[in-house]
Amino acid sequence: MTDNTPTREVPSQYDGTTVRAKSVLSPEGFPVRALIKLYPKKIIPIVFIPGIMGTNLRVKDSDERAWRPPNGKLAGLVQVIQYLGKDAVARKGVLHPDRVEVDEAGPIKLTGKVERQLKGAPELPPEKLARLFGWGELHQDSYGRILNTLQERLHDILTIDGAPDEAWHKLVLEQQKAHQFGAEKSFEELTPEDLKRFAKAAYPVHAVGYNWLQSNNVSVKRLVDKIDAITDFYKNTLQKDCEKVILVTHSMGGLVARACTQLQGKSDKVLGVLHGVMPAIGAPATYKRMRAGFEGVEQVLLGRNAAEATAVLTQAPGPMELLPTAEYQAKLAGGAQHWLRAHYADAKTEENQVTSFLGEGDPYDTIYRNKTDWWRLVKSELIDPGKTDDRKQAFPPADDSESPLNSDLEFAKYETALQVARDLHAGIKSQYHANCHAYYAADHGQPAWGEVRWVASTPTGDFSRGEIVEDDLNGKIKVKFGESICKLKIAGQDLPGDGTVPEFSGQAPKEYVKQIFRHEGKKKGHTSYDHQGSYSNDFTTGLTLYSIVKLTLESGILNEVSDA
């Protein structure tokens, strides 16, 4: 045989002590070599942590689904029909943080290549192995692509002759030359030699979901336990060298990871972190949704209006941890400013503009716990929908705000959940893992609510003081200022972002991380993606692989690993 002799990979099985593989002899006239890959001694698991609503949930101690985002158009239609009949009371009862838990039984779709790669475990079908790796905990349509691609690429890094696999050329080596993935700090290209060093270890892909209705500082305990279980499995069952993992996060999953490394003292178990489109200091979209309902399919599932959305979100610290923190400001052309305001401008001339900033200062005190002003976040009547069906009375005049209903037990429960969110924000403020990358979008083609602007139909001297007289709970209200009635509505997304997380929050980690990537869409040669689909394209997949390699090599963990 020669170096040009055809080669085929033969599936192997590893039972913790011995690698076994079966092959057959090839005919003399057509020799074919068999390639048996030995699992490296060094294991560095990749742990993917999804964003809010990206984890399947079930009712505790049962098989009843509480939250299973639709996969595919037909499943989506069925679930939409099911949820159309649920009012605020029903949603509040089902989506309660204390009544649900992670559901591992979600659908899994494996590519043919991944199925072949995962056949290495004796008498364990590939799908079952993927489920043991946590893939069934995550929403398949959102994360199936990135999980499969990471598994494929991290399994096949080099060809048989030691050169980078063709897919690595396409996804990483070529893309990095075209645009450096949008790096904002000094950028170093990966080389074929880097990939050879990187290939000294194995990188199995795991996923860890969490109960996103509860505080991320509670969800983190499941992540901590899973990290320990994953590393213990490779050390004790497979007799491998496995001490640390790499975390790859999406959106709110970044807050869970930061709680893990910075609040739970698990930084030593984490080799590095990549944060994708993380609302590092919150997102004004959360305020908009609690005052006017969700958008898209989410509005049918989580709330079509303020009554339905508020009933669920005010009992759930997790979603409230996405509210803008005290550090958040709107990034406008004229500079940074407070993110909540009422504004009037002549529609034709843009003259006679009047702006009033609403709730300046710490928003927890001025907006979220506010019981009186028309621009407050919530009202007691919406927190417990079982007490009233009269939606028109959801926001009564301010002079009625001191009624017993306004200070009832339900608002006190909401304040308790809110304080949990506030404590998390304080605990992770400016705190990141020492070996960390992040990416975010500042794409004008994917505008986000970088601010919430109540657009007024008529001017007044001070928009901050008024008495609400009518609210459709979808972002249109009437407020009495003095003797006049003014119509106001929440303006749409108009600042660069990814449709959900605005630029200012996405770039917040810049000062604290080793590398951060800024994506401005097609005008910069970047893929334009929305928030939920931020990992579902070759552009950010290449970035993810680049960061995993860089975080690994720069940690020095492979310096003592031999080539054997």
Side-chain angles (χ1 to χ4, degrees), residues 357-499:
F357 292 107
L358 311 172
E360 292 182 278
D362 189 331
Y364 276 97
D365 296 321
T366 60
I367 302 172
Y368 311 152
R369 298 178 65 233
N370 189 324
K371 292 184 177 182
T372 60
D373 294 301
W374 65 264
W375 36 265
R376 61 199 180 275
L377 180 64
V378 300
K379 187 66 175 177
S380 294
E381 291 87 335
L382 297 185
I383 297 174
D384 186 0
K387 288 189 175 181
T388 177
D389 293 323
D390 190 353
R391 286 168 35 177
K392 290 185 178 181
Q393 296 300 315
F395 284 88
D399 58 10
D400 185 48
S401 62
E402 297 304 321
S403 66
L405 185 59
N406 244 3
S407 56
D408 66 5
L409 179 61
E410 292 303 318
F411 199 90
K413 290 180 180 178
Y414 157 65
E415 287 186 302
T416 299
L418 187 66
Q419 186 60 45
V420 172
R422 189 177 197 172
D423 291 343
L424 177 81
H425 283 164
I428 64 174
K429 178 182 175 182
S430 304
Q431 299 293 311
Y432 297 86
H433 191 275
N435 192 28
C436 185
H437 287 189
Y439 75 84
Y440 70 99
D443 188 349
H444 287 275
Q446 300 285 350
W449 276 286
E451 66 169 346
V452 175
R453 187 173 72 257
W454 289 95
V455 179
S457 60
T458 55
T460 190
D462 183 3
F463 283 114
S464 67
R465 299 183 179 278
E467 184 178 300
I468 195 164
V469 295
E470 187 176 318
D471 189 338
D472 74 349
L473 303 184
N474 284 124
K476 295 181 180 180
I477 61 176
K478 292 181 180 179
V479 179
K480 185 177 182 180
F481 298 104
E483 298 300 319
S484 62
I485 302 294
C486 176
K487 296 179 181 178
L488 297 101
K489 65 178 181 180
I490 295 179
Q493 303 112 301
D494 56 8
L495 292 178
D498 61 23

Side-chain angles (χ1 to χ4, degrees), residues 335-348:
Q337 64 182 37
H338 183 58
W339 59 271
L340 182 62
R341 62 182 173 127
H343 181 76
Y344 168 81
D346 186 280
K348 295 182 178 180

Side-chain angles (χ1 to χ4, degrees), residues 21-237:
K22 292 181 180 180
S23 184
V24 295
L25 295 176
S26 58
E28 291 184 6
F30 186 61
V32 177
R33 291 184 297 186
L35 171 65
I36 301 173
K37 287 187 176 180
L38 302 181
Y39 222 52
K41 181 68 174 176
K42 188 72 175 179
I43 309 292
I44 304 174
I46 308 300
V47 178
F48 192 96
I49 309 172
I52 187 172
M53 299 182 285
T55 301
N56 302 314
L57 301 177
R58 65 177 175 237
V59 176
K60 276 187 176 180
D61 302 320
S62 78
D63 294 326
E64 181 184 350
R65 299 177 185 178
W67 176 260
R68 179 75 66 84
N71 292 281
K73 293 182 179 180
L74 179 59
L77 179 60
V78 171
Q79 190 151 4
V80 164
I81 293 173
Q82 291 174 340
Y83 265 80
L84 280 173
K86 294 183 183 293
D87 59 11
V89 177
R91 295 166 200 264
K92 185 179 180 72
V94 172
L95 296 174
H96 190 287
D98 295 337
R99 299 172 190 155
V100 298
E101 62 187 3
V102 174
D103 180 5
E104 306 91 346
I108 294 175
K109 294 180 182 179
L110 304 180
T111 65
K113 192 175 188 70
V114 169
E115 283 193 349
R116 292 190 294 273
Q117 292 173 351
L118 296 184
K119 284 182 178 178
E123 301 179 1
L124 190 62
E127 182 179 322
K128 188 172 183 180
L129 181 58
R131 197 169 297 284
L132 290 175
F133 281 7
W135 290 27
E137 299 176 7
L138 274 55
H139 180 222
Q140 162 65 32
D141 274 9
S142 295
Y143 303 113
R145 185 184 193 273
I146 187 63
L147 292 175
N148 275 280
T149 305
L150 289 179
Q151 172 60 38
E152 288 179 359
R153 301 284 67 82
L154 294 171
H155 183 277
D156 293 336
I157 302 167
L158 304 175
T159 62
I160 190 172
D161 59 3
D165 183 84
E166 181 180 350
W168 278 86
H169 273 287
K170 177 184 176 182
L171 289 171
V172 181
L173 301 183
E174 293 176 10
Q175 284 202 97
Q176 68 180 358
K177 293 182 181 298
H179 40 57
Q180 298 184 346
F181 298 112
E184 291 196 272
K185 297 188 176 185
S186 178
F187 183 84
E188 294 181 353
E189 291 186 358
L190 290 179
T191 67
E193 288 302 314
D194 289 331
L195 293 184
K196 288 182 180 179
R197 291 170 54 212
F198 178 69
K200 291 179 180 180
Y203 306 87
V205 179
H206 294 254
V208 176
Y210 56 95
N211 178 358
W212 45 267
L213 291 168
Q214 64 190 11
S215 172
N216 291 297
N217 206 19
V218 177
S219 296
V220 70
K221 296 174 183 177
R222 186 175 194 270
L223 175 61
V224 168
D225 290 343
K226 287 289 186 179
I227 290 174
D228 288 340
I230 290 169
T231 54
D232 287 348
F233 167 76
Y234 290 108
K235 284 193 299 183
N236 300 326
T237 302

